[in-house]
């Protein structure tokens, strides 16, 4: 899968990249700082108010897990919308409707098996060194048009859901590794990648911690320069790095993904 995205409101306005340099000509450290709005003293009251409004104004929405009375989901969208009840309800109702229409709860290993067998997207068996579930994409295995787009979209949503289900206590975000070794222009798929990042923005806000572009070939650089202005604040999540960096900084010898082991 190639990374190409459509224009949308910035997802992570709260990310800022700060360069800190000592007076001496030493190393420059890049720090990613998240500046979140402080939560109100009584978030439970806000959650209850959202539930009441959803019950009155959107009672056709489903209830239960990921439904209009799911307090954990309500709180997450409140945080995403800086505790604005109006904005949270607007985004939350769209997400709940989408889950129902897309059939997220019906996705299973069997329903995505044929596409998953290509090996182009999967969830790693181990967490990374920072305790995050890891979603791996092997771009060279994605061939646009090989499957109906809806089939690729189902796999995308399934692996996101699977990665989120592996979140340990206290963790809220996942790591995405885009392996660009072997990437060629014929692997680019703008329409599909627009769906991927729309999904993260609208339906899984603040769930994406970092995106690693691994061993990007020369031909990918112009693609990224084209995409970067459209992505806006998404770009702050991206790090270009080598397979060696992935192995040494993000995993241990025992947990490194098979495709990044010695000789791969």
């Amino acid at each position: 899968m190639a990374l190409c995205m459509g224009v949308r409101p910035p997802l992570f306005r709260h990310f800022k990249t700060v360069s800190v340099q000592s007076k001496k000509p030493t190393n420059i450290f890049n720090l990613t700082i998240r500046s979140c709005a402080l939560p109100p003293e009584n978030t439970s009251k806000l959650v209850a108010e959202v539930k009441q409004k959803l019950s009155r104004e959107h009672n056709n929405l489903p209830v239960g897990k990921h439904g209009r009375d799911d307090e954990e989901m309500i709180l997450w969208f409140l945080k995403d919308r800086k505790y604005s009840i109006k904005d949270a309800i607007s985004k939350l109702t769209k997400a709940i409707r989408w889950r129902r229409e897309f059939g997220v709860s019906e996705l299973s290993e069997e329903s995505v098996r044929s596409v998953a067998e290509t090996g182009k997207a999967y969830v790693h068996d181990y967490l990374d060194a920072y305790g995050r579930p890891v979603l791996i994409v092997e771009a060279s295995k994605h061939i646009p048009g090989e499957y109906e787009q809806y089939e690729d979209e189902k796999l995308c949503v399934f692996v996101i859901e699977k990665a989120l289900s592996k979140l340990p206590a206290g963790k809220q975000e996942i790591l995405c590794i885009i392996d660009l070794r072997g990437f060629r222009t014929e692997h680019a798929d703008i329409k599909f990648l627009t769906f991927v990042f729309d999904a993260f923005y609208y339906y899984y806000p603040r769930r994406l911690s970092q995106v690693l572009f691994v061993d990007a070939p020369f031909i990918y650089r112009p693609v990224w320069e084209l995409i970067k202005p459209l992505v806006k604040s998404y770009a702050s999540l991206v790090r270009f790095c080598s397979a060696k960096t992935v192995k040494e900084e993000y995993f241990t010898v025992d947990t490194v993904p098979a495709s990044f082991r010695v000789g791969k």
Side-chain angles (χ1 to χ4, degrees):
M1 304 176 188
L3 280 187
C4 305
M5 311 149 209
V7 180
R8 63 181 57 75
L11 171 56
F12 291 94
R13 292 182 184 276
H14 50 289
F15 277 94
K16 293 182 180 179
T17 301
V18 179
S19 294
V20 180
Q21 187 171 16
S22 64
K23 293 182 180 180
K24 296 180 181 180
T26 53
N27 294 332
I28 296 176
F29 301 93
N30 291 320
L31 305 177
T32 299
I33 300 177
R34 170 169 292 178
S35 175
C36 300
L38 291 175
E41 292 183 1
N42 193 349
T43 55
S44 60
K45 183 177 179 180
L46 294 179
V47 170
E49 187 171 345
V50 170
K51 283 178 65 176
Q52 291 172 3
K53 284 182 174 292
L54 288 174
S55 179
R56 290 196 308 266
E57 302 169 10
H58 303 279
N59 60 11
N60 62 324
L61 293 177
V63 295
K65 182 71 172 175
H66 301 302
R68 58 179 169 84
D69 61 343
D70 185 331
E71 295 187 359
E72 183 179 354
M73 187 176 183
I74 290 173
L75 179 57
W76 189 261
F77 276 75
L78 276 168
K79 290 178 180 178
D80 175 59
R81 296 292 87 190
K82 298 181 179 179
Y83 299 96
S84 165
I85 290 177
K86 180 180 178 181
D87 293 345
I89 288 176
S90 176
K91 193 167 185 177
L92 184 57
T93 53
K94 291 177 183 177
I96 295 173
R97 289 194 184 100
W98 170 80
R99 294 184 67 90
R100 179 174 60 185
E101 294 167 1
F102 193 87
V104 176
S105 63
E106 299 169 7
L107 295 176
S108 64
E109 296 279 359
E110 185 58 36
S111 68
V112 300
R113 185 178 301 281
S114 61
V115 185
E117 286 178 347
T118 64
K120 59 186 175 182
Y122 56 94
V123 177
H124 185 42
D125 292 335
Y126 299 96
L127 304 177
D128 76 348
Y130 304 96
R132 299 173 296 191
V134 182
L135 196 165
I136 300 176
V137 175
E138 297 190 20
S140 63
K141 294 182 179 180
H142 178 66
I143 303 174
E146 182 180 17
Y147 293 89
E148 293 292 333
Q149 182 170 323
Y150 181 56
E151 296 301 316
D152 283 327
E153 291 175 357
K154 287 198 302 182
L155 176 62
C156 168
V157 174
F158 177 77
V159 293
I160 292 174
E161 288 279 324
K162 185 174 181 178
L164 292 175
S165 72
K166 294 169 68 71
L167 282 168
K171 296 295 181 179
Q172 301 175 328
E173 299 171 322
I174 65 176
L175 170 69
C176 183
I177 298 177
I178 310 296
D179 188 348
L180 290 165
R181 291 173 294 179
F183 173 86
R184 297 190 297 273
T185 54
E186 56 263 35
H187 298 127
D189 192 339
I190 296 175
K191 188 176 182 181
F192 173 65
L193 267 299
T194 297
F195 169 84
V196 174
F197 281 85
D198 275 348
F200 274 111
Y201 174 73
Y202 291 109
Y203 316 128
Y204 301 99
R206 299 196 186 199
R207 291 301 195 182
L208 189 57
S209 173
Q210 189 177 26
V211 180
L212 305 182
F213 286 174
V214 182
D215 285 335
F218 177 78
I219 60 172
Y220 189 79
R221 295 290 175 160
V223 175
W224 172 241
E225 291 305 315
L226 179 64
I227 296 169
K228 192 174 180 179
L230 304 177
V231 179
K232 299 184 184 301
S233 58
Y234 268 116
S236 67
L237 301 180
V238 171
R239 178 188 183 187
F240 283 84
C241 64
S242 66
K244 183 175 184 290
T245 297
V246 172
K247 289 189 292 184
E248 295 180 354
E249 293 188 20
Y250 292 87
F251 299 96
T252 66
V253 174
D254 295 328
T255 64
V256 65
S259 59
F260 289 94
R261 290 175 186 160
V262 177
K264 296 291 185 179

mmCIF file of all heavy atoms in Angstrom, residues 170-191:
data_model
loop_
_atom_site.group_PDB
_atom_site.id
_atom_site.type_symbol
_atom_site.label_atom_id
_atom_site.label_comp_id
_atom_site.label_asym_id
_atom_site.label_seq_id
_atom_site.Cartn_x
_atom_site.Cartn_y
_atom_site.Cartn_z
ATOM 1 N N GLY A 170 -3.656 1.164 30.011
ATOM 2 C CA GLY A 170 -2.905 2.408 30.046
ATOM 3 C C GLY A 170 -2.413 2.900 28.706
ATOM 4 O O GLY A 170 -1.921 4.019 28.586
ATOM 5 N N LYS A 171 -2.538 2.074 27.665
ATOM 6 C CA LYS A 171 -2.116 2.469 26.318
ATOM 7 C C LYS A 171 -3.343 2.769 25.475
ATOM 8 O O LYS A 171 -4.380 2.120 25.606
ATOM 9 C CB LYS A 171 -1.282 1.375 25.664
ATOM 10 C CG LYS A 171 0.040 1.082 26.378
ATOM 11 C CD LYS A 171 0.978 2.277 26.318
ATOM 12 C CE LYS A 171 2.304 1.966 27.001
ATOM 13 N NZ LYS A 171 3.239 3.111 26.932
ATOM 14 N N GLN A 172 -3.212 3.733 24.582
ATOM 15 C CA GLN A 172 -4.364 4.168 23.802
ATOM 16 C C GLN A 172 -4.099 4.265 22.307
ATOM 17 O O GLN A 172 -5.021 4.493 21.526
ATOM 18 C CB GLN A 172 -4.839 5.540 24.311
ATOM 19 C CG GLN A 172 -5.239 5.528 25.779
ATOM 20 C CD GLN A 172 -5.579 6.910 26.299
ATOM 21 O OE1 GLN A 172 -5.022 7.912 25.869
ATOM 22 N NE2 GLN A 172 -6.514 6.968 27.229
ATOM 23 N N GLU A 173 -2.849 4.103 21.897
ATOM 24 C CA GLU A 173 -2.507 4.312 20.491
ATOM 25 C C GLU A 173 -1.698 3.150 19.930
ATOM 26 O O GLU A 173 -1.082 2.384 20.669
ATOM 27 C CB GLU A 173 -1.701 5.611 20.345
ATOM 28 C CG GLU A 173 -2.452 6.852 20.804
ATOM 29 C CD GLU A 173 -1.547 8.072 20.859
ATOM 30 O OE1 GLU A 173 -0.379 7.915 21.249
ATOM 31 O OE2 GLU A 173 -2.025 9.168 20.508
ATOM 32 N N ILE A 174 -1.699 3.060 18.617
ATOM 33 C CA ILE A 174 -0.983 1.982 17.936
ATOM 34 C C ILE A 174 0.125 2.562 17.048
ATOM 35 O O ILE A 174 0.107 3.735 16.681
ATOM 36 C CB ILE A 174 -1.933 1.123 17.082
ATOM 37 C CG1 ILE A 174 -2.529 1.940 15.925
ATOM 38 C CG2 ILE A 174 -3.028 0.524 17.945
ATOM 39 C CD1 ILE A 174 -3.409 1.134 14.980
ATOM 40 N N LEU A 175 1.071 1.713 16.723
ATOM 41 C CA LEU A 175 2.158 2.058 15.806
ATOM 42 C C LEU A 175 1.861 1.433 14.448
ATOM 43 O O LEU A 175 1.447 0.281 14.369
ATOM 44 C CB LEU A 175 3.492 1.517 16.336
ATOM 45 C CG LEU A 175 4.692 1.593 15.378
ATOM 46 C CD1 LEU A 175 5.104 3.043 15.166
ATOM 47 C CD2 LEU A 175 5.862 0.762 15.921
ATOM 48 N N CYS A 176 2.074 2.214 13.397
ATOM 49 C CA CYS A 176 1.900 1.681 12.041
ATOM 50 C C CYS A 176 3.240 1.702 11.323
ATOM 51 O O CYS A 176 3.900 2.747 11.250
ATOM 52 C CB CYS A 176 0.879 2.515 11.267
ATOM 53 S SG CYS A 176 0.542 1.884 9.599
ATOM 54 N N ILE A 177 3.662 0.555 10.820
ATOM 55 C CA ILE A 177 4.920 0.441 10.074
ATOM 56 C C ILE A 177 4.594 0.207 8.605
ATOM 57 O O ILE A 177 3.953 -0.785 8.251
ATOM 58 C CB ILE A 177 5.777 -0.719 10.608
ATOM 59 C CG1 ILE A 177 6.160 -0.466 12.063
ATOM 60 C CG2 ILE A 177 7.027 -0.891 9.746
ATOM 61 C CD1 ILE A 177 6.957 -1.609 12.687
ATOM 62 N N ILE A 178 5.022 1.128 7.757
ATOM 63 C CA ILE A 178 4.829 0.990 6.310
ATOM 64 C C ILE A 178 6.158 0.557 5.717
ATOM 65 O O ILE A 178 7.097 1.352 5.595
ATOM 66 C CB ILE A 178 4.382 2.310 5.657
ATOM 67 C CG1 ILE A 178 3.193 2.919 6.413
ATOM 68 C CG2 ILE A 178 4.026 2.070 4.190
ATOM 69 C CD1 ILE A 178 1.938 2.097 6.375
ATOM 70 N N ASP A 179 6.258 -0.701 5.366
ATOM 71 C CA ASP A 179 7.487 -1.250 4.804
ATOM 72 C C ASP A 179 7.507 -0.938 3.310
ATOM 73 O O ASP A 179 6.741 -1.501 2.532
ATOM 74 C CB ASP A 179 7.518 -2.759 5.042
ATOM 75 C CG ASP A 179 8.849 -3.379 4.650
ATOM 76 O OD1 ASP A 179 9.662 -2.700 3.984
ATOM 77 O OD2 ASP A 179 9.073 -4.561 4.989
ATOM 78 N N LEU A 180 8.392 -0.029 2.914
ATOM 79 C CA LEU A 180 8.444 0.429 1.521
ATOM 80 C C LEU A 180 9.546 -0.235 0.709
ATOM 81 O O LEU A 180 9.816 0.176 -0.426
ATOM 82 C CB LEU A 180 8.617 1.953 1.498
ATOM 83 C CG LEU A 180 7.389 2.737 1.970
ATOM 84 C CD1 LEU A 180 7.754 4.176 2.275
ATOM 85 C CD2 LEU A 180 6.283 2.672 0.934
ATOM 86 N N ARG A 181 10.143 -1.257 1.252
ATOM 87 C CA ARG A 181 11.147 -1.993 0.483
ATOM 88 C C ARG A 181 10.451 -2.681 -0.690
ATOM 89 O O ARG A 181 9.458 -3.377 -0.518
ATOM 90 C CB ARG A 181 11.845 -3.017 1.381
ATOM 91 C CG ARG A 181 12.750 -2.372 2.447
ATOM 92 C CD ARG A 181 13.297 -3.387 3.416
ATOM 93 N NE ARG A 181 12.247 -3.998 4.239
ATOM 94 C CZ ARG A 181 12.453 -4.931 5.158
ATOM 95 N NH1 ARG A 181 13.692 -5.365 5.372
ATOM 96 N NH2 ARG A 181 11.459 -5.421 5.855
ATOM 97 N N GLY A 182 10.965 -2.456 -1.869
ATOM 98 C CA GLY A 182 10.367 -3.049 -3.058
ATOM 99 C C GLY A 182 9.218 -2.237 -3.639
ATOM 100 O O GLY A 182 8.595 -2.646 -4.619
ATOM 101 N N PHE A 183 8.926 -1.074 -3.058
ATOM 102 C CA PHE A 183 7.822 -0.241 -3.550
ATOM 103 C C PHE A 183 8.134 0.297 -4.942
ATOM 104 O O PHE A 183 9.235 0.745 -5.234
ATOM 105 C CB PHE A 183 7.594 0.936 -2.592
ATOM 106 C CG PHE A 183 6.600 1.938 -3.102
ATOM 107 C CD1 PHE A 183 5.243 1.757 -2.887
ATOM 108 C CD2 PHE A 183 7.023 3.060 -3.812
ATOM 109 C CE1 PHE A 183 4.324 2.673 -3.371
ATOM 110 C CE2 PHE A 183 6.109 3.989 -4.282
ATOM 111 C CZ PHE A 183 4.760 3.788 -4.067
ATOM 112 N N ARG A 184 7.122 0.247 -5.815
ATOM 113 C CA ARG A 184 7.205 0.825 -7.147
ATOM 114 C C ARG A 184 5.947 1.648 -7.387
ATOM 115 O O ARG A 184 4.961 1.521 -6.661
ATOM 116 C CB ARG A 184 7.340 -0.273 -8.218
ATOM 117 C CG ARG A 184 8.626 -1.098 -8.083
ATOM 118 C CD ARG A 184 8.828 -2.002 -9.297
ATOM 119 N NE ARG A 184 7.754 -2.980 -9.417
ATOM 120 C CZ ARG A 184 7.740 -4.166 -8.818
ATOM 121 N NH1 ARG A 184 8.744 -4.511 -8.017
ATOM 122 N NH2 ARG A 184 6.741 -4.992 -8.987
ATOM 123 N N THR A 185 5.974 2.473 -8.391
ATOM 124 C CA THR A 185 4.851 3.383 -8.639
ATOM 125 C C THR A 185 3.548 2.635 -8.855
ATOM 126 O O THR A 185 2.475 3.151 -8.532
ATOM 127 C CB THR A 185 5.135 4.270 -9.861
ATOM 128 O OG1 THR A 185 5.470 3.442 -10.992
ATOM 129 C CG2 THR A 185 6.283 5.230 -9.571
ATOM 130 N N GLU A 186 3.601 1.416 -9.396
ATOM 131 C CA GLU A 186 2.362 0.670 -9.634
ATOM 132 C C GLU A 186 1.678 0.205 -8.352
ATOM 133 O O GLU A 186 0.542 -0.278 -8.381
ATOM 134 C CB GLU A 186 2.607 -0.545 -10.543
ATOM 135 C CG GLU A 186 3.665 -1.510 -10.059
ATOM 136 C CD GLU A 186 5.013 -1.274 -10.687
ATOM 137 O OE1 GLU A 186 5.345 -0.096 -10.931
ATOM 138 O OE2 GLU A 186 5.744 -2.267 -10.932
ATOM 139 N N HIS A 187 2.358 0.369 -7.226
ATOM 140 C CA HIS A 187 1.753 -0.007 -5.948
ATOM 141 C C HIS A 187 0.958 1.146 -5.326
ATOM 142 O O HIS A 187 0.252 0.944 -4.335
ATOM 143 C CB HIS A 187 2.836 -0.463 -4.962
ATOM 144 C CG HIS A 187 3.580 -1.674 -5.420
ATOM 145 N ND1 HIS A 187 4.953 -1.720 -5.497
ATOM 146 C CD2 HIS A 187 3.149 -2.885 -5.856
ATOM 147 C CE1 HIS A 187 5.339 -2.910 -5.944
ATOM 148 N NE2 HIS A 187 4.263 -3.628 -6.164
ATOM 149 N N ALA A 188 1.095 2.337 -5.905
ATOM 150 C CA ALA A 188 0.405 3.510 -5.364
ATOM 151 C C ALA A 188 -1.102 3.373 -5.551
ATOM 152 O O ALA A 188 -1.570 2.934 -6.598
ATOM 153 C CB ALA A 188 0.918 4.777 -6.053
ATOM 154 N N ASP A 189 -1.858 3.764 -4.524
ATOM 155 C CA ASP A 189 -3.320 3.649 -4.573
ATOM 156 C C ASP A 189 -3.919 4.802 -3.766
ATOM 157 O O ASP A 189 -4.248 4.666 -2.593
ATOM 158 C CB ASP A 189 -3.748 2.299 -3.993
ATOM 159 C CG ASP A 189 -5.215 1.978 -4.280
ATOM 160 O OD1 ASP A 189 -5.975 2.921 -4.562
ATOM 161 O OD2 ASP A 189 -5.585 0.796 -4.213
ATOM 162 N N ILE A 190 -4.075 5.947 -4.422
ATOM 163 C CA ILE A 190 -4.537 7.158 -3.748
ATOM 164 C C ILE A 190 -5.917 6.979 -3.137
ATOM 165 O O ILE A 190 -6.168 7.355 -1.995
ATOM 166 C CB ILE A 190 -4.545 8.345 -4.728
ATOM 167 C CG1 ILE A 190 -3.122 8.657 -5.183
ATOM 168 C CG2 ILE A 190 -5.179 9.577 -4.082
ATOM 169 C CD1 ILE A 190 -3.042 9.738 -6.238
ATOM 170 N N LYS A 191 -6.833 6.392 -3.901
ATOM 171 C CA LYS A 191 -8.204 6.257 -3.434
ATOM 172 C C LYS A 191 -8.285 5.415 -2.174
ATOM 173 O O LYS A 191 -8.983 5.763 -1.209
ATOM 174 C CB LYS A 191 -9.070 5.640 -4.529
ATOM 175 C CG LYS A 191 -10.553 5.630 -4.220
ATOM 176 C CD LYS A 191 -11.346 5.100 -5.408
ATOM 177 C CE LYS A 191 -12.850 5.130 -5.120
ATOM 178 N NZ LYS A 191 -13.626 4.601 -6.274
#
